[in-house]
Amino acid sequence: MQKTHYFTIALQKSLRTFINVLPIIVGMLLLTSLVVTLFPAQLHAGVFGNGEIFDSLLAAAAGSIAVGHPLASYLLGGEMLKVGVSLTAVTALLVTWVTVGIVQIPAEAMILGTRFAAYRNLISFLAAIAISFLTPFTLRMLGAI
């Protein structure tokens, strides 16, 4: 009997939290969709190709803004590799796409706290830059590229 009562209270709290956060999530999804729609046009304009460091930083910045589902990032990464974008830049974009969320910071800060959201995104951005350089290095060491 007591477990059912706790479950009901937890369910009610979860529902209230979800209803409070829902407008922010919808706004975040709409803004993300807009950014994702605009990004490929900039990609074909020849934005990349200015050195691995610059390309990695640029791709990481773009991925930080254009957050999205990992499945969509794989498709975008494949298209970028087809047009000749370096693996370093593609890796930076994919990792920041999934782990960094500039657009999501207001929602994340509201739920988890501003300090946590800022540190998490900063650490994720720096880790993405490191991963973008380590991925091609590792593949070269393994003889995959």
Side-chain angles (χ1 to χ4, degrees):
M1 187 73 171
Q2 189 73 1
K3 289 182 180 179
T4 305
H5 178 67
Y6 288 136
F7 178 75
T8 304
I9 291 173
L11 191 62
Q12 288 172 346
K13 285 183 177 180
S14 298
L15 184 63
R16 265 185 268 140
T17 301
F18 180 73
I19 289 171
N20 288 335
V21 174
L22 190 61
I24 294 170
I25 292 173
V26 169
M28 177 187 69
L29 289 175
L30 291 174
L31 187 58
T32 301
S33 299
L34 179 65
V35 170
V36 168
T37 302
L38 296 175
F39 182 69
Q42 295 297 323
L43 177 69
H44 295 294
V47 174
F48 295 102
N50 301 312
E52 287 200 0
I53 294 173
F54 180 77
D55 285 355
S56 177
L57 290 172
L58 182 65
S64 298
I65 295 168
V67 295
H69 195 274
L71 186 60
S73 71
Y74 301 142
L75 297 174
L76 181 61
E79 294 299 318
M80 290 175 70
L81 288 173
K82 282 182 187 174
V83 298
V85 177
S86 71
L87 183 58
T88 304
V90 172
T91 304
L93 180 87
L94 295 184
V95 175
T96 54
W97 177 291
V98 176
T99 61
V100 180
I102 300 297
V103 177
Q104 297 171 334
I105 282 182
E108 187 176 347
M110 186 178 108
I111 296 169
L112 301 172
T114 303
R115 186 175 177 190
F116 176 83
Y119 278 119
R120 192 200 67 75
N121 281 284
L122 178 65
I123 291 169
S124 296
F125 184 85
L126 294 175
I129 297 295
I131 291 168
S132 72
F133 285 101
L134 290 174
T135 299
F137 175 76
T138 303
L139 290 175
R140 279 189 211 107
M141 293 292 288
L142 295 174
I145 56 172

